[in-house]
Amino acid sequence: MPRFSRWQGIVLCVAALVSTVWLAVTNQLILYIHPRYIVFTVIMTVLGLALVIASFGRSPDQEHEQEQEHEHEHEHEYEDAAPRSYRRAISVVGTVVTLVMATALVVVPPATLTTATADQRVINSTQVGSGTKTVDSAASAPAGAFARFTVLDWSSLLRQTTDASFYRDKAANVVGFITKDRDDPQNVFYVSRFVITCCAVDAQPVGVPVFLPNWQNRFAADHWVRVSGSFQTNPSTKSQQSIALVPTATTKVDQPSEPYLY
Amino acid sequence: MSHTSTDDSDAAAESAGPFRRTLTIMVVALAILVAAFAGLNYLQGPKLSSGSVDANRVVAQGGQQLRLFANQSIRDVAKKHVSVSPAVPFTVSTSGAVIAVQFTDRLRYATKYSVRVSDVANAFQPRVSTFDYTFTTARAEIYYLERADPATGAGQDDSIIRTGLSGSERSVVYSAPRIQQFVVFAQAIAFTTLADDGTSSLSLVGLSSKLVEQIPMPGPGTIDELKGESDAGLLGFVFTSAGPAVAREFTSVLMRVDLSGDHAVAPVPDLAGKPLTVLTWGFLGGSTSIVAHGVDQTVLLIDASKSAPPVPLGQYTELGRSAPDGKSIVVSDVFGKIALSLADGTKTRIPSLPIAGASTYGGDVVLLGKDVARVQQVAVFDSATGGKFQSYLVYESGTTARILYQTKDDAGSIEGFSISPNGQFVAVNVIPDYAHSVSDGYLVDAQSTSIRTVIIDIVSGAVVRSVEGFNESW
Amino acid sequence: MGLVVGLGGIAAVFVVRALTPVLGPWSLPNRVQDLLTLSISVIIESLPFVILGIVLSILVQVWVPDRWIMRILPRNAFLRRAMISFLGIFLPVCECGNVPLARGLIVKGFTVSESMTFLLAAPIVNPITILTTGQAFGFDSWIFAARLVGGFVIANVIGWLFSKHPDQDSLLTDRFAAECRLPDPHEHDQTRWQKSVELFTRESGVIMPALFIGSLIAGLVQVAVPRSLLLSLGSNPLWSILAMMALAFVISVCSNVDSFFILPFASTFMPGSIAVFLVFGPIIDIKMLALMRTTFRAKVLVQLTVIVGLLSALIGLVVNYFA
């Protein structure tokens, strides 16, 4: 068992480390973690790989010797009351699961989170984080600045004020993927993004409601779109959003290289 | 540290007795403490953590919210459980832990409002609590123009002055020779000055930076009817090119300047897309919309923030002023004045009500709110004094009229008036002794050197402040 | 020989990794795709910290002279544990890296209860966590105070409790206890470098499977439990605390950044429950239990979880009552 567990540890290390290196090289680490961790992750990965390679350098004799010493410890391994077969089954299942995970890590192409998570986590269910726009700062921003506001900026503003006059003269131009509005899926969708504080696990979906009647004729959920237009009182009667982006242009775009916002 | 063997697990269990005991005592003690505090929390109703209201916006605009943040999410609050004193119309909505009290109308200046929400309940708990929140709205500030008296010598500066409505504190915000008109914005003041040849120039001065920026005109000419909309950062005026009438490029053309954009002067287009020539014009309070009275007597509604074509509202002999909330305007046809609601297009005749049985002749009028309550300047033919007209400022509502202001001994003249954005005060421009008034001799917008502005509380009719000057900007 | 095979293996994995995306998009169902993305992100996020933890553990075990750490610590058990609670200030690893480091400290001569104190205190009482918590909630907030004091108190209470246990080794898994008991087997013929590599192999063999399983469970729960369920409980003084403990348990986010993660919830959840999230999360969550199981017996982890849970709940309730 110890020999196997050693071997398993190294295999898992290789799977995780090599994948990390490849993701870093192809600039896809940001699909999983916040950019601030990239340098640290790369340094630690290189260090980890060096240790893994060093461990290959150990002679088989040594391993064998080691293994024998551990083998008789094995006798004490499970002295708890639980039956041995049950224990063994658990451990086999655990090993299989880790190996499946490792294979997935290596084989499945990296991807962003989808609408499944956005729906499950309820869009805009949480309030603005740090570093987002406040009404005061937005009110004094020069006119051109609004064109660079992201989905996150707008959604935090929408959360703070639904005063239609505030949005007047503030043209929006945002990119995000489509998530259905629950109340009026026919006419309203959210152009949404995930906001990451640490890694994809903590992704919070944020979105701006867009009023585009029969949008399903042209788009589907999960499509990435660029929407430009202005915020107005939501023409939809069913939607609970009082202000919506009424687009002047909606075009399909490729998924951006940095799909998450921070 | 010595690592002892664990082979004899019975012995270990026995010697672990004190540990077991401590563990049990600790778990029990903690469980009791947790239960005790859970009980205390359970019996404690929701608490008010904080409240927020913008004391400045709440007097400047209707529809502003007081947001009360409870420390936990609460059940929807019924309107009957909310009271506001002094009483004002409001609506209540609850979302999560936030109670939003939305004031339908603008609130009064410098007034302490108390809001009490009773029966605030959490969905899970038996206890209800009462939230009390008080806030004081911003004091009114008024800017006015005090021109130098030409009698004291030429070349002196005119001043734009800021003051409150109580006390006598005042501060000079900006001074320059021959200021014609001005408009106050959030960050700056736009003002026009007159050159010796009677042409005007338009400048902006930063309220804090005091930097002056001159805005170039499309040629020499005169500027009149300078008006602005602070929230939207829009400025407008009527421009007439200098020179003989036949050779002018612009004659009484409505111009607009977007202060949030490039500060360029551009003519407002008429229905045909040509520069619009106007008789008079004005912003609708609190919006980017303009109403203008064209030379063909068509009243046009124009969104000054877009380049969309104007919307004609009909032909009228006169365009009056818009209500402070921008929802209605006053127009005239040959039969008299009409209140025109912009929301649904309804028209209501607004007659000049008699005062003490004497019939009146209506002048300028401003609607105060949704109904036709209004402040109007009226003239009464006074047969007793032998055919003299007396000038009054009256508050009219329903079928009654109440005099808000008349000059002392009826010797003076009411030159104009304006209503504070929240409809609380009226500022009246008065020349106290008309017979002995001296003009300051400005080529455009000349004014009496003795002009005063008197500020009156519309509800009580009390005079709250009187200052030397005119062109008040709220 | 092993080197060649190993390098060949690494190269092969790299080639597979580089080639598979070219084979076209895999139209996995959204939920499966998200499960993988979430689990992988936990692995990739934790991996550098785990390696840092193992490296620090190696440094402590192999490179720091014997009894060097022991010497600077006071003799009195209470003071000693209090000092150990602050070790995290000098070894700022977040909780996933702490497990290998705590293992290293036990091997080096810490008692089990002392290493527990370190394990529980270090994720909270460390400069990065203090800074991020302060930035997120303000250095004068109830939440900030509750977290720091709470973390310190819990770690010391647990340390004191388990120090009462007469047989410290019986708290450990047999396998780890056996490892500790081993006098270094190759003292005579191994260089420090060889020992380091040997330790790395051993530790990664224990920690990596735990990390993978922990990540997968964390991902599964994320996909399965609707967030709205937790949120709807958020503003009740009692349920919010349980909901936050559940969220902390499930989400397994690092203590260095959990303040920023939880900040957006601060408006809907009561302050006490936020404090609970920040105190309970770094100590007990799915990933940590999987990692700690490598070292401690299941029974110990249950006792630990119960006491930490009760203590955090108490802190949260007190904050909710007074704040």
Side-chain angles (χ1 to χ4, degrees), chain A:
Chain A
M1 210 47 152
R3 178 169 192 189
F4 173 70
S5 99
R6 253 152 217 280
W7 170 84
Q8 189 189 14
I10 293 297
V11 164
L12 296 181
C13 274
V14 168
L17 294 171
V18 169
S19 298
T20 307
V21 169
W22 179 75
L23 288 170
V25 169
T26 55
N27 199 24
Q28 293 185 88
L29 265 183
I30 46 168
L31 293 179
Y32 298 103
I33 56 173
H34 192 285
R36 82 175 94 95
Y37 294 111
I38 286 182
V39 173
F40 174 64
T41 302
V42 169
I43 291 171
M44 280 301 146
T45 307
V46 169
L47 187 61
L49 267 182
L51 285 164
V52 167
I53 291 169
S55 76
F56 291 144
R58 298 182 55 224
S59 76
D61 293 350
Q62 276 177 322
E63 286 218 29
H64 191 65
E65 208 179 312
Q66 196 83 46
E67 179 195 327
Q68 290 219 313
E69 291 200 34
H70 278 275
E71 208 58 59
H72 59 83
E73 299 298 339
H74 186 201
E75 299 306 315
H76 301 287
E77 183 104 359
Y78 306 118
E79 52 194 46
D80 292 334
R84 232 181 140 96
S85 56
Y86 163 75
R87 287 265 164 189
R88 189 169 290 273
I90 293 266
S91 123
V92 168
V93 169
T95 309
V96 169
V97 167
T98 53
L99 290 183
V100 167
M101 263 316 287
T103 314
L105 193 54
V106 174
V107 173
V108 177
T112 59
L113 292 171
T114 65
T115 47
T117 302
D119 289 339
Q120 195 260 6
R121 293 188 178 184
V122 185
I123 213 156
N124 294 346
S125 60
T126 51
Q127 230 201 0
V128 288
S130 55
T132 48
K133 297 283 183 290
T134 62
V135 168
D136 289 343
S137 72
S140 58
F146 301 113
R148 290 191 300 276
F149 274 24
T150 62
V151 168
L152 175 60
D153 298 328
W154 287 117
S155 71
S156 66
L157 287 175
L158 283 171
R159 195 164 239 291
Q160 292 169 68
T161 176
T162 51
D163 180 1
S165 64
F166 175 81
Y167 297 98
R168 193 187 297 138
D169 293 340
K170 295 184 171 68
N173 181 0
V174 291
V175 174
F177 61 91
I178 292 181
T179 317
K180 275 182 208 160
D181 181 55
R182 291 187 174 191
D183 309 310
D184 189 6
Q186 178 79 14
N187 301 317
V188 178
F189 66 84
Y190 283 91
V191 51
S192 33
R193 298 287 281 267
F194 282 104
V195 177
I196 303 271
T197 49
C198 164
C199 56
V201 164
D202 61 50
Q204 299 292 335
V206 296
V208 172
V210 177
F211 180 79
L212 185 64
N214 301 315
W215 58 271
Q216 269 117 333
N217 296 347
R218 287 170 60 204
F219 309 105
D222 274 321
H223 278 180
W224 283 82
V225 287
R226 174 181 293 280
V227 182
S228 48
S230 58
F231 287 95
Q232 291 168 25
T233 305
N234 193 350
S236 163
T237 48
K238 279 188 267 171
S239 171
Q240 294 186 353
Q241 304 295 319
S242 56
I243 304 264
L245 183 57
V246 177
T248 50
T250 312
T251 48
K252 219 174 146 180
V253 293
D254 289 335
Q255 177 179 320
S257 58
E258 289 195 6
Y260 302 130
L261 299 172
Y262 307 104

Side-chain angles (χ1 to χ4, degrees), chain A residues 79, chain B residues 1-20, chain C residues 106 110-114 116 159-174 177-178 180-181 295-297 299-300 303:
Chain A
E79 52 194 46
Chain B
M1 166 183 175
S2 70
H3 294 284
T4 53
S5 166
T6 61
D7 285 0
D8 192 353
S9 52
D10 283 348
E14 202 150 301
S15 63
F19 169 74
R20 282 272 167 73
Chain C
I106 296 178
F110 270 37
T111 63
V112 175
S113 55
E114 282 166 357
M116 258 185 201
W160 170 76
L161 175 69
F162 282 96
S163 73
K164 290 268 184 190
H165 203 286
D167 184 2
Q168 298 271 302
D169 276 8
S170 70
L171 302 171
L172 302 175
T173 56
D174 291 313
C180 296
R181 229 174 301 138
T295 308
F296 300 107
R297 281 173 189 269
K299 194 168 127 195
V300 174
Q303 291 165 347

Side-chain angles (χ1 to χ4, degrees), chain B residues 15 19 41 47 72-73 124, chain C residues 165-166 169 235-236 270 317 321:
Chain B
S15 63
F19 169 74
N41 270 305
K47 282 189 287 188
Q72 52 190 270
S73 139
F124 311 88
Chain C
H165 203 286
D169 276 8
S235 53
N236 177 279
M270 301 192 61
L317 287 168
Y321 187 70

Side-chain angles (χ1 to χ4, degrees), chain B residues 314-344:
Chain B
Q315 297 240 325
Y316 297 97
T317 55
E318 262 181 64
L319 168 64
R321 298 204 257 167
S322 73
D325 65 4
K327 300 226 168 73
S328 53
I329 56 172
V330 174
V331 291
S332 305
D333 61 10
V334 289
F335 303 107
K337 290 194 167 60
I338 302 165
L340 173 61
S341 163
L342 294 174
D344 52 17

Side-chain angles (χ1 to χ4, degrees), chain B residues 39-380:
Chain B
L40 285 175
N41 270 305
Y42 186 70
L43 292 174
Q44 187 183 44
K47 282 189 287 188
L48 177 65
S49 334
S50 63
S52 82
V53 64
D54 188 326
N56 291 308
R57 285 179 81 88
V58 84
V59 291
Q61 287 184 348
Q64 294 296 306
Q65 286 184 342
L66 162 69
R67 293 169 80 83
L68 296 172
F69 297 89
N71 68 338
Q72 52 190 270
S73 139
I74 50 180
R75 269 191 265 180
D76 280 6
V77 170
K79 188 167 185 271
K80 64 176 180 192
H81 289 137
V82 182
S83 65
V84 180
S85 78
V88 289
F90 63 88
T91 55
V92 178
S93 60
T94 316
S95 148
V98 183
I99 306 169
V101 178
Q102 180 161 338
F103 301 108
T104 314
D105 301 328
R106 281 162 279 218
L107 301 188
R108 295 167 63 83
Y109 293 109
T111 304
K112 187 172 166 188
Y113 283 87
S114 303
V115 179
R116 163 168 287 205
V117 186
S118 57
D119 281 351
V120 183
N122 179 312
F124 311 88
Q125 283 169 273
R127 288 289 299 271
V128 294
S129 33
T130 298
F131 292 178
D132 282 301
Y133 188 79
T134 56
F135 63 95
T136 303
T137 53
R139 298 191 314 135
E141 272 194 337
I142 194 166
Y143 292 76
Y144 64 95
L145 175 59
E146 186 177 320
R147 283 190 180 158
D149 189 346
T152 61
Q156 291 200 52
D157 282 358
D158 299 339
S159 299
I160 296 167
I161 291 163
R162 177 177 57 215
T163 187
L165 293 191
S166 54
S168 56
E169 198 184 326
R170 45 170 257 168
S171 57
V172 175
V173 181
Y174 184 68
S175 293
R178 298 175 75 78
I179 297 177
Q180 185 193 348
Q181 289 179 325
F182 76 94
V183 176
V184 178
F185 287 88
Q187 313 284 335
I189 291 178
F191 63 95
T192 53
T193 50
L194 279 173
D196 289 338
D197 61 359
T199 60
S200 323
S201 55
L202 174 62
S203 308
L204 277 179
V205 57
L207 277 176
S208 50
S209 68
K210 307 288 181 202
L211 292 175
V212 179
E213 172 195 348
Q214 185 158 1
I215 295 178
M217 287 295 119
T222 52
I223 295 171
D224 205 353
E225 290 207 57
L226 180 73
K227 289 166 189 174
E229 177 47 50
S230 179
D231 282 338
L234 285 170
L235 181 67
F237 54 87
V238 176
F239 183 75
T240 301
S241 301
V246 287
R248 285 174 188 161
E249 186 189 1
F250 298 109
T251 305
S252 297
V253 167
L254 179 57
M255 299 284 188
R256 48 154 287 187
V257 183
D258 187 351
L259 295 181
S260 63
D262 56 6
H263 295 195
V265 174
V268 173
D270 64 7
L271 285 164
K274 299 211 178 69
L276 175 64
T277 306
V278 294
L279 298 169
T280 187
W281 78 285
F283 277 107
L284 289 178
S287 78
T288 59
S289 292
I290 284 172
V291 277
H293 199 206
V295 282
D296 62 353
Q297 300 211 319
T298 307
V299 173
L300 298 167
L301 179 64
I302 302 157
D303 190 338
S305 67
K306 295 188 187 131
S307 50
V311 178
L313 296 176
Q315 297 240 325
Y316 297 97
T317 55
E318 262 181 64
L319 168 64
R321 298 204 257 167
S322 73
D325 65 4
K327 300 226 168 73
S328 53
I329 56 172
V330 174
V331 291
S332 305
D333 61 10
V334 289
F335 303 107
K337 290 194 167 60
I338 302 165
L340 173 61
S341 163
L342 294 174
D344 52 17
T346 53
K347 295 178 190 175
T348 314
R349 293 262 163 207
I350 39 174
S352 295
L353 302 171
I355 298 172
S359 53
T360 57
Y361 302 89
D364 241 3
V365 58
V366 174
L367 297 165
L368 291 175
K370 281 183 274 295
D371 54 4
V372 287
R374 58 197 177 269
V375 171
Q376 181 162 217
Q377 187 182 343
V378 296
V380 177

